[in-house]
Amino acid sequence: MNPVFHALLQKSRYLTNCLNETLKQHNLYSSQWTILYCLHVHGPMTLTQIWKYLNVEAPSITRAVVRLETLGWVQRVDGADKREKIVTLTGMAEESLPAIEQTILAFEAEMIGSMTIEEQQQFMNLLQKMKG
């Protein structure tokens, strides 16, 4: 295995595990947070729009949205086509987002705190050179 891929996969697992631990205080997992953040930034979206944007398989997104709906974070409403469901944030989610965002910002600062702004930009440039 190419050491670059091995390092990326290992770091990705580590970051996901650490983020899950951090998000426990908000009763969320990183996969759920990505959906909430996506809806916060882009507004109401269909399930298809969410899974395409996040590049995650449809059944995984559907399960996560059902769980978020059960927990009161999102609601699904009928779209123009009765088969289409639009996912929106609930009032509880909107109220909770600022505190969650502060938690995320602190987590991110801790994870990349040893990198300069220039190193962060260089890292972003290198990631953009990768296919995908």
Side-chain angles (χ1 to χ4, degrees), residues 37-98:
Y37 183 75
C38 184
L39 294 171
H40 175 64
V41 170
H42 300 287
M45 299 174 77
T46 65
L47 290 169
T48 302
Q49 289 171 322
I50 295 170
W51 67 259
K52 284 183 177 179
Y53 178 80
L54 295 175
N55 198 28
V56 177
E57 293 179 2
S60 298
I61 292 298
T62 301
R63 280 191 303 273
V65 167
V66 167
R67 181 72 178 137
L68 286 168
E69 189 174 34
T70 301
L71 294 170
W73 291 100
V74 300
Q75 59 186 357
R76 289 183 293 171
V77 296
D78 289 334
D81 178 343
K82 291 287 186 198
R83 296 170 294 175
E84 181 179 72
K85 295 291 185 188
I86 308 292
V87 183
T88 64
L89 295 173
T90 63
M92 179 192 90
E94 294 285 0
E95 286 178 22
S96 301
L97 280 174

Side-chain angles (χ1 to χ4, degrees), residues 19-20 22-38 40 68 71-74 89-108:
L19 183 55
N20 282 335
T22 299
L23 286 170
K24 274 185 182 178
Q25 64 185 295
H26 301 288
N27 297 314
L28 289 170
Y29 290 101
S30 61
S31 58
Q32 295 168 327
W33 165 247
T34 60
I35 294 169
L36 295 178
Y37 183 75
C38 184
H40 175 64
L68 286 168
L71 294 170
W73 291 100
V74 300
L89 295 173
T90 63
M92 179 192 90
E94 294 285 0
E95 286 178 22
S96 301
L97 280 174
I100 299 169
E101 286 179 319
Q102 287 304 309
T103 300
I104 295 293
L105 289 173
F107 169 79
E108 290 172 349

